[in-house]
Amino acid sequence: MMKQLTIAFFLLLSGLFSSSQEFGSHNLRLDGFQNQNVRCFVKAESEQLSAYISAHNGHYFSTFRGWTKIELSGRQLVEMSKLAWCSSIRIEGGKGQVLTDTSLINTKTHLVHQGEIPRHSAFTGEGVVMGFVDTGIDFTHPDFKNEDGSTRIVKIWDHLKNADTTLRPSFGYGEVYDSAMINAGTCPHLDNNGHGSQVAGIGAGNGNSVPDSIADYTGHAPNSTIICVNTDFSRANWTLSIAESVEWIFSEADKLGLPCVINLSVGTYSGSHDGRDLASQIIDSIVAAKPGRLVVGAAGNAGSIGSFHLRTEVVSDTAFTYFKSNPNSNFGNAIFIEAWGDTADMKNLQLGFGYTDTSLWADSIFFLEPVANRLDTLMTVSLGGNSQLLTYAEVQGASVLYQILCINPQTQHLYGLLTHGTGVHDIWSTSLLGWSDIIQTGLPTISQYPRISKYVYPDTNQSIVTSWNCSPNVISVGNYENRKSYINQFDSVIIYAASVVGQKGGTSSRGPNRLNYTKPDIMAPGNYTMGAGRFQDLNYLRTNATNGYKLAQGGYHFGNGGTSMASPIVAGIAALYFEKCPTASGDEVRRALLNNTFADVHTGVLPNNVFGAGKVDAFATLNSSNLNDSLIASGKTIICKGDSINVKLSSSYPNYIWNDGLISIDRYVNNSDTVYMTYSNGSGCKGISDTIVTVGVDIPVVLIIAESDSFCIGGELVLVGAGAKTYMWSSKENGDSITVDRAGVFYMTGKDSNDCMAYDSIVLKQFLCNVGLVENEKSPFTIFPNPVNNFLTVEGFSSEITEVDLVILNSEGRIVLEQKLAIESSSEKIQVDVSEFQSGLYVIELKQAKSSNKYRFVKY
């Protein structure tokens, strides 16, 4: 039977505990890997550690924030934990699990694909790497191929393959296959579950397998470049292998020079749920190391398994909770409890363990003491027979881990964790995840057992997966109902009766994280999403009479759901953002996604710990980074011949290029042209300016028309403008004509209907038209000497004369001197300096209130 993939399945912890095992001071989870190589972080004296690794054929890798990454067998690590020079061995979390169209419309991604972002063409993930850490990928599926049949997958790192050492990456395990091997048909990789193919299809599939006329199964970043990791869920210290997978994918993207989004639709529910674990810190540091990187993860599918989170908060009191033995746990028939708290919250807490005899309702307490008493020390107590009690605690940065393991507890007892003093701790525990159930029913009444009033019940909060998903720097994605129906391969409409489109998916985990950060961060459609099926599953559905209805129209996809299918939607939208803004930081993309969500009747008041910031909106997210600056022109876009205008952008940016390839912050345009600019900011976000269209026109031909270029002294001449719409004369007059009464150079500026200007000028001369002019014999004035060289003297003013206008004209009638003379007495003589005059004939005119007298004189 094909595995049902409508919800995420759980890979439970495996391995049996041996009651005869000798323990050192170490995390109890380490004993589940006695015969496996375990990659982990340790704190130890460097010389002794190096010698120990060498003596036991171990491996040294690197250091991170004071921790050394090594690999030894679990048994060797247990032995090393007993040595004085080894202070700590860090084993994170539990085993990994997979966390498993209309989603394009629900998220408004189709608008981005259609080029609806203003001033931009379509965004499809071109030039961006999408990385998937999952169960692998069926690279033979057409949705992962180009039009020519070549693969879109650049690299695959398969953790489960270890036969060919020449294909082993620097991390020392697995095999790496490239596109050449895939295209040549020599790649041995297989998707060992089908989950990875569906996740990759939703995030990056191009839908080429089915014609659009039948159905559209395009993923959210259909033109992105794909890199995959097939993770080994049973690998010891699995979360560390995910951190290494993230490091590897980003390094491969760096080789291509491309930004990268990594999707993690995998996780574990075991751990601190605070994002402080080493795997989270490593991932955070890698993402923050350079721009163009982001990690997106599925929030988990534990929203419907009931109450398995226990938060105990006491204030000068004692609280307790019972745990049920799990015969199928990683340690055999046992109760395993793992509590987490902040160092400040655990400082004044006492933790203990004991049981209540249900036949007598009497208590027996094995221990109740401060947490500090059990730090970094494995304590073992025999409970009689084959029962054993073990405890271990350690400080992990600002967090404290406290573990209790009770092997082969007695069936007539209710075993419980006791908390006394003041403080808070959190526990996640359920047999569905391989641990112990928290007892919620069948408890005694107060009359039977008065202390039951101090009992603390579990809740449905904080059901998210742990590690990177709890980091504020990783986008955690919840799941809502994507669709209610689909058309199957038989052209029948299949209806999901229970589905309410837009409503929270029943299995979608809720937050917050242990530190009360809002989780999930965002919500995307997940349930009943059609994903690319691996061929093994497709062939089964094509031929199976019972389950064939599940295969969607076109025969290459079938439905799946959960946060696993929601996460690659957000990752794909992030890839579209990186296509637009390739050097944006992960934090910028995260803020763009979370600040541009939408709410509806299902979300409630946002943010909250079910829908996070709201439902993802691809269109609003990409539109938020639009650079909508406009071009500014220094003049009109109708350009007169010989003129130019300066064009520049309204704001400054570090990168810009004009549509003709010119790289300049501004430019001059002097003819008909179409100009616009493409520019980008520090995040590489591209902007396209508005377009300016210029039209080059000829300047008008303007003329000054006159009857002659000369006229008599004392006469007038009319000048007429021609060839323009409006005119401006050098005399400051406007109009199409002026009248002049003197000689000189006259200018005219003419403008046409486009405000294009042209110029014309004319030189006018004046002459003494009456060449026989003689001095008036009755004139009261006398001028001398005549001819004159330097000073011309005028005398003969009467007592009535107080003011005279003196004008001297040359032989061409041009005024060469004009003065107003004030006469103070009749005996006054006026001298006029003519020393600078050119030699020739001149006329001097003396004007009084009612008379004018003219005289000729010669300058020699």
Side-chain angles (χ1 to χ4, degrees):
M1 292 289 290
M2 188 189 83
K3 291 182 176 69
Q4 179 59 264
L5 293 179
T6 55
I7 61 173
F9 70 91
F10 300 109
L11 298 177
L12 303 183
L13 299 174
S14 60
L16 297 176
F17 170 78
S18 170
S19 60
S20 62
Q21 173 65 42
E22 179 184 357
F23 292 91
S25 297
H26 60 267
N27 187 306
L28 292 175
R29 292 186 180 278
L30 185 57
D31 296 290
F33 309 114
Q34 289 283 309
N35 299 314
Q36 298 181 40
N37 278 352
V38 179
R39 187 165 298 193
C40 61
F41 282 98
V42 302
K43 280 192 176 180
E45 297 292 335
S46 58
E47 291 186 8
Q48 290 90 333
L49 177 61
S50 177
Y52 191 87
I53 291 172
S54 177
H56 293 86
N57 297 317
H59 299 281
Y60 165 86
F61 293 99
S62 59
T63 59
F64 177 74
R65 297 179 182 175
W67 293 85
T68 303
K69 185 166 67 171
I70 67 168
E71 184 172 285
L72 287 167
S73 72
R75 188 175 302 278
Q76 291 160 354
L77 287 170
V78 168
E79 293 301 319
M80 190 175 77
S81 72
K82 304 173 186 177
L83 303 176
W85 51 263
C86 178
S87 59
S88 185
I89 299 174
R90 183 66 61 83
I91 303 294
E92 308 281 6
K95 296 300 180 66
Q97 305 165 25
V98 297
L99 306 170
T100 265
D101 193 7
T102 52
S103 68
L104 292 176
I105 298 173
N106 290 335
T107 60
K108 302 177 187 174
T109 304
H110 69 297
L111 299 177
V112 181
H113 288 180
Q114 293 168 8
E116 295 294 328
I117 301 295
R119 299 185 185 176
H120 289 278
S121 56
F123 291 106
T124 58
E126 188 78 35
V128 180
V129 170
M130 284 204 72
F132 298 93
V133 182
D134 216 288
T135 66
I137 189 170
D138 187 343
F139 54 80
T140 65
H141 197 289
D143 285 4
F144 307 127
K145 294 182 179 181
N146 298 306
E147 292 288 348
D148 62 3
S150 61
T151 187
R152 296 172 52 213
I153 303 167
V154 174
K155 291 280 182 73
I156 300 173
W157 179 14
D158 193 327
H159 290 185
L160 296 172
K161 301 283 189 181
N162 281 287
D164 189 344
T165 58
T166 65
L167 300 176
R168 191 160 296 163
S170 60
F171 293 95
Y173 59 97
E175 294 178 357
V176 174
Y177 317 116
D178 61 18
S179 57
M181 295 180 68
I182 297 173
N183 289 328
T186 60
C187 176
H189 167 72
L190 295 173
D191 182 346
N192 58 13
N193 174 269
H195 183 272
S197 295
Q198 289 202 296
V199 167
I202 292 168
N206 59 21
N208 282 354
S209 57
V210 179
D212 289 345
S213 59
I214 296 176
D216 184 6
Y217 298 113
T218 304
H220 288 259
N223 288 334
S224 58
T225 299
I226 301 171
I227 297 178
C228 290
V229 172
N230 180 20
T231 181
D232 180 0
F233 290 101
S234 64
R235 186 172 181 81
N237 210 11
W238 174 76
T239 57
L240 179 55
S241 75
I242 298 301
E244 291 176 334
S245 300
V246 169
E247 181 180 354
W248 179 78
I249 291 175
F250 281 138
S251 68
E252 292 297 322
D254 286 348
K255 294 175 185 177
L256 299 172
L258 300 178
C260 178
V261 182
I262 297 177
N263 181 79
L264 301 175
S265 288
V266 292
T268 177
Y269 296 90
S270 173
S272 61
H273 290 76
D274 55 18
R276 293 174 175 170
D277 57 287
L278 286 177
S280 295
Q281 292 184 51
I282 292 170
I283 290 172
D284 283 352
S285 66
I286 294 171
V287 172
K290 62 184 302 184
R293 293 177 172 181
L294 185 69
V295 172
V296 179
N301 302 315
S304 62
I305 67 174
S307 304
F308 71 96
H309 167 253
L310 177 70
R311 165 159 281 212
T312 302
E313 184 171 1
V314 293
V315 180
S316 300
D317 204 348
T318 300
F320 71 101
T321 303
Y322 292 131
F323 291 79
K324 185 178 181 181
S325 178
N326 181 3
N328 300 310
S329 79
N330 188 48
F331 305 98
N333 181 32
I335 294 172
F336 178 65
I337 302 172
E338 194 170 76
W340 294 88
D342 285 352
T343 53
D345 290 333
M346 300 285 269
K347 180 178 180 181
N348 297 315
L349 270 183
Q350 295 182 39
L351 292 185
F353 189 75
Y355 68 84
T356 302
D357 188 329
T358 58
S359 61
L360 302 173
W361 293 114
D363 296 329
S364 294
I365 299 176
F366 299 120
F367 68 90
L368 180 61
E369 61 185 20
V371 173
N373 290 4
R374 297 188 175 241
L375 286 175
D376 301 320
T377 303
L378 182 63
M379 296 186 177
T380 307
V381 178
S382 175
L383 303 182
N386 62 350
S387 296
Q388 199 173 22
L389 179 64
L390 303 95
T391 65
Y392 177 75
E394 67 180 12
V395 176
Q396 297 187 5
S399 304
V400 175
L401 164 66
Y402 197 101
Q403 295 175 321
I404 298 174
L405 175 62
C406 181
I407 301 166
N408 294 320
Q410 302 300 307
T411 57
Q412 73 272 25
H413 297 158
L414 289 174
Y415 290 85
L417 175 72
L418 294 84
T419 309
H420 178 75
T422 58
V424 181
H425 66 73
D426 291 271
I427 293 171
W428 293 264
S429 195
T430 172
S431 61
L432 292 174
L433 301 174
W435 312 318
S436 303
D437 284 323
I438 302 172
I439 296 176
Q440 304 175 57
T441 60
L443 296 171
T445 63
I446 291 181
S447 60
Q448 290 176 306
Y449 183 58
R451 287 195 64 247
I452 200 67
S453 63
K454 304 296 184 181
Y455 194 84
V456 180
Y457 289 85
D459 58 55
T460 57
N461 295 327
Q462 300 188 37
S463 57
I464 53 175
V465 293
T466 189
S467 194
W468 54 83
N469 182 76
C470 292
S471 167
N473 303 309
V474 171
I475 299 178
S476 171
V477 185
N479 148 53
Y480 69 82
E481 304 288 337
N482 178 43
R483 66 194 309 161
K484 189 175 181 63
S485 64
Y486 69 97
I487 300 175
N488 70 7
Q489 63 173 327
F490 307 120
D491 293 329
S492 298
V493 177
I494 306 300
I495 297 176
Y496 301 112
S499 176
V500 177
V501 175
Q503 191 176 66
K504 171 189 172 293
T507 62
S508 186
S509 293
R510 62 179 295 156
N513 75 355
R514 192 180 64 79
L515 303 179
N516 206 35
Y517 293 141
T518 299
K519 289 287 179 175
D521 293 289
I522 201 166
M523 210 71 157
N527 283 355
Y528 311 116
T529 300
M530 296 296 134
R534 62 174 179 168
F535 272 93
Q536 177 182 340
D537 300 328
L538 298 176
N539 292 333
Y540 169 82
L541 291 175
R542 285 168 183 159
T543 58
N544 186 275
T546 304
N547 294 295
Y549 74 92
K550 298 177 182 177
L551 190 61
Q553 198 173 26
Y556 284 89
H557 304 80
F558 58 88
N560 206 331
T563 59
S564 279
M565 304 303 145
S567 182
I569 289 173
V570 176
I573 294 170
L576 303 182
Y577 193 101
F578 274 134
E579 180 185 2
K580 186 181 181 189
C581 309
T583 56
S585 67
D587 183 61
E588 176 183 330
V589 182
R590 181 181 180 276
R591 284 185 281 107
L593 286 162
L594 271 55
N595 291 341
N596 292 283
T597 58
F598 68 91
D600 58 22
V601 295
H602 301 291
T603 61
V605 178
L606 298 172
N608 58 54
N609 287 308
V610 175
F611 283 85
K615 295 181 174 180
V616 66
D617 186 326
F619 181 81
T621 297
L622 267 74
N623 200 46
S624 70
S625 64
N626 253 23
L627 307 176
N628 298 316
D629 291 84
S630 300
L631 293 178
I632 299 173
S634 62
K636 295 179 63 174
T637 56
I638 297 178
I639 302 175
C640 306
K641 186 175 182 179
D643 287 346
S644 65
I645 60 172
N646 180 262
V647 181
K648 63 180 181 180
L649 203 62
S650 57
S651 300
S652 297
Y653 289 91
N655 302 295
Y656 36 79
I657 184 170
W658 294 92
N659 55 299
D660 61 356
L662 178 66
I663 299 176
S664 173
I665 196 169
D666 62 354
R667 64 178 303 162
Y668 286 90
V669 182
N670 60 11
N671 212 327
S672 296
D673 206 346
T674 299
V675 294
Y676 61 88
M677 176 188 279
T678 300
Y679 51 98
S680 60
N681 61 14
S683 296
C685 298
K686 303 177 185 70
I688 301 176
S689 72
D690 56 340
T691 299
I692 288 181
V693 178
T694 60
V695 178
V697 296
D698 290 331
I699 60 174
V701 177
V702 298
L703 297 171
I704 296 176
I705 301 174
E707 291 182 354
S708 174
D709 63 353
S710 62
F711 61 103
C712 297
I713 295 174
E716 294 179 336
L717 186 66
V718 176
L719 304 180
V720 178
K725 183 179 180 181
T726 61
Y727 303 90
M728 175 62 70
W729 300 86
S730 54
S731 61
K732 307 301 182 184
E733 298 174 83
N734 53 29
D736 57 4
S737 65
I738 61 171
T739 300
V740 297
D741 60 0
R742 60 184 178 84
V745 179
F746 293 86
Y747 298 89
M748 180 268 289
T749 301
K751 290 185 179 181
D752 64 11
S753 57
N754 293 319
D755 280 345
C756 293
M757 295 185 296
Y759 308 90
D760 195 17
S761 63
I762 188 170
V763 178
L764 298 181
K765 301 176 182 179
Q766 279 185 307
F767 295 95
L768 289 172
C769 296
N770 184 2
V771 295
L773 176 69
V774 296
E775 289 84 350
N776 188 339
E777 293 180 354
K778 297 181 179 181
S779 172
F781 302 109
T782 302
I783 63 169
F784 61 90
N786 189 5
V788 62
N789 185 28
N790 294 316
F791 291 93
L792 183 67
T793 301
V794 180
E795 66 178 12
F797 299 98
S798 66
S799 59
E800 294 84 13
I801 299 174
T802 60
E803 188 176 270
V804 173
D805 289 330
L806 181 149
V807 178
I808 297 178
L809 299 92
N810 62 18
S811 61
E812 295 178 348
R814 182 179 298 173
I815 296 174
V816 295
L817 181 64
E818 189 172 13
Q819 292 181 340
K820 186 179 289 294
L821 306 177
I823 309 301
E824 295 181 0
S825 68
S826 59
S827 63
E828 184 174 358
K829 296 180 181 179
I830 301 300
Q831 285 191 318
V832 181
D833 186 359
V834 297
S835 61
E836 298 297 325
F837 287 15
Q838 293 182 357
S839 299
L841 178 65
Y842 292 85
V843 173
I844 181 171
E845 182 179 9
L846 300 169
K847 297 180 181 179
Q848 304 172 58
K850 297 181 179 180
S851 64
S852 174
N853 299 94
K854 297 179 181 178
Y855 302 88
R856 285 193 294 254
F857 69 91
V858 176
K859 168 69 171 62
Y860 65 89

